[in-house]
Amino acid sequence: AGAGCSYSFADPDTATVNVSRVLRLHFFPFTSSSSVNLSSASFSVSVRDAYTLLSSFSPPRDGVVKEYFVPGDGSGEFRVKFTPDAGSTAFVSAIELFPAPPELLWRRPVKPVGALVDSVDVNAWPQQALETVYRLNVGGSKVTAANDTLWRTWLPDDPYFSSPRGLSQVNSTSTPIIYGTSIGYTREVAPDSVYKTQRAMNMTSQQLFLTPGPFNLTWTFALPPPAPGSDSDYLVRLHWCDYSPVSSVVATGIVFDVYVAQRLASKDLDRNAVDAAEQPNEAF
């Protein structure tokens, strides 16, 4: 659309303003019958005239799917607007929009990392539009949308795992996953295939003193540069699922620290404190 366009959807769930909506935008450029080359398109995408999700965006030639969590506003309408840059065009190949299950976001308090608690408005996070940047299946293979109740894709963690290979071991289980439904967690958080694999520390190497210095598992992610004059905050969700390969490693229990962006996020985290089958922790 050279002049831009918008889509308006009925949003009847007006009673739960703070429940996010999942919005997926599919972009697959090609040369159309009107000889418009969508590969050179550059445009912006906004929602409800309140959130700018993309600015001067040019989809890659191989296509891309962008996923966002957008809070409801109680208006009964959800509007997505595509505005082309000057002399360009805008397009979208497919749109998905559905309510985010309540256990998916904001069920647990968000813990600030690397900032004074008083300087961060933790309660403001449910009012922010968030883009999914990475979603990894640790220790496992790619999980496609066909195997996820919310049609998500989970990528293998190998390309992002930056610790020496000898420091870790991959565990798996064929035992059915038991979700903490009594405290509100279901397969909407993550499918069984995600929780049936895990990457754990290689305790044999540690006990044989083959790993001098700090013993840790580290994942490294490339992040896009922030927009000029602005800072970028990231919400990190960590999932744990406890089963026998981990439980039997240390009889007295497993306690560890979690660092995010080289800052301490959780000190002396006890697996028993997060053992609700797959109770996720959040940090930013």
Side-chain angles (χ1 to χ4, degrees), residues 25-29 43 45 54 57 59 63-64 66 82 91-93:
L25 303 174
H26 299 245
F27 302 100
F28 292 92
F43 53 92
V45 180
L54 294 167
F57 172 66
V64 68
K66 293 286 190 176
F82 301 83
F91 77 96
V92 63
S93 302

Side-chain angles (χ1 to χ4, degrees), residues 5-14 16-25 45-53 66-82 95-100 126 128-130:
C5 63
S6 63
Y7 293 85
S8 183
F9 304 92
D11 191 10
D13 197 11
T14 58
T16 54
V17 174
N18 289 335
V19 173
S20 294
R21 277 64 173 161
V22 179
L23 173 66
R24 291 198 189 103
L25 303 174
V45 180
S46 61
V47 173
R48 295 196 177 109
D49 298 323
Y51 305 104
T52 299
L53 304 181
K66 293 286 190 176
E67 180 184 273
Y68 302 90
F69 292 87
V70 183
D73 64 355
S75 66
E77 180 185 51
F78 194 102
R79 186 178 182 183
V80 186
K81 185 177 181 180
F82 301 83
I95 299 175
E96 298 177 62
L97 177 66
F98 54 92
Q128 301 296 318
L130 304 180

